Amino acid sequence: MGKLKLKKDIAVKGIIVFIILVVGIILGLNFYNDYKYKQTFEYKLIEHGYTLEEAKNLVNFYKKDEILNALLIREKNSYILELIKEKYYIHNNLDRYITYHEKKPEFSNTDVIAIVNVYADYKHYEHDIETDIEKGILLNVNKYYTLPEDFTPIDISDISLRYSYSGNKITKEANDAYVSMWNAANRAGFTLIVNSSFRDFASQDRVYNNIKASSGMKEADKVAARPGHSEHQTGLAIDVFEVGNQSTETFKDSPAYTWLKENAHLYGFIERYPENKEYLTGYSFEAWHWRYVGEDVAKIIHDENITYDEYYAYYIENQS
Ligand SMILES: [Zn+2]
């Protein structure tokens, strides 16, 4: 009988030890999991003041450790959650988005992103960046990006008088594309005509300074680009009208302009200074100014309804 009791005792002790072991393992795992969770960005962001949902969104959006670490260093700001929902959000611009939003709360988040992306949070001509001429047909010239004084497009050629007034030149590639576009427009019943195109630095300098001399700098800045800042120096821009309708006042209301808006991208041209986009392009609406960028890029710009400045910021500058 004594033996049986002993066996029973051993069994009971065995069970107790087993239970302690199991509880220990469970507690240990819990502790370990807890410890592991505290190492996550989700936990750290919550500790930093974000809600669970905000923390999850931030972690999902910013997959890179260095960016999440940077978020932990800066003050908690739920506005970041609004910004990252925007299609054209560029992380490098985050500080400027926040500053601009604080300064101009009346602008939508979409506008804040667009304005900052194209440097329009800086004054015109007060934030000069030498443009990357290696970008070829995609180089950007505006009131921030400048061309060197001696820049001349390599393969500049005369536009035939059939399609243009005399003295007009653009690059060979743009010229060929323009002729294709001209023919398509012609089939649709429009006779396009180029009245201005490539202008070198010196002639742009003359244009600008003539206006400045007669009407002052403010007026000159309104209607012309300062030398080095004119897209006409790229050899990729044309001012195009319709024969018989060459008024900058009325061209915008013509069926020829509507045709260009709907079809120019098929030939690689984009409307460079669209209506109501002056706050991004720096130029009043110019229905006649078309820029060659190639068909693929023109299609994106047309389909996404963005300016070239926005395209360049997001798809070129941001990706390189
Ligand atoms: Zn022009």
Side-chain angles (χ1 to χ4, degrees), residues 193-228:
I193 187 107
V194 167
N195 88 346
S196 189
S197 51
F198 172 64
R199 289 200 286 269
D200 63 14
F201 188 94
S203 51
Q204 186 62 32
D205 193 50
R206 269 197 306 280
V207 168
Y208 179 82
N209 282 305
N210 279 342
I211 305 169
K212 191 175 154 189
S214 61
S215 315
M217 190 156 163
K218 214 173 159 194
E219 183 61 18
D221 277 339
K222 221 173 106 186
V223 300
R226 291 190 191 173

Side-chain angles (χ1 to χ4, degrees), residues 18-31:
F18 179 73
I19 289 170
I20 290 171
L21 219 69
V22 168
V23 170
I25 288 169
I26 291 170
L27 285 175
L29 275 176
N30 265 338
F31 181 79

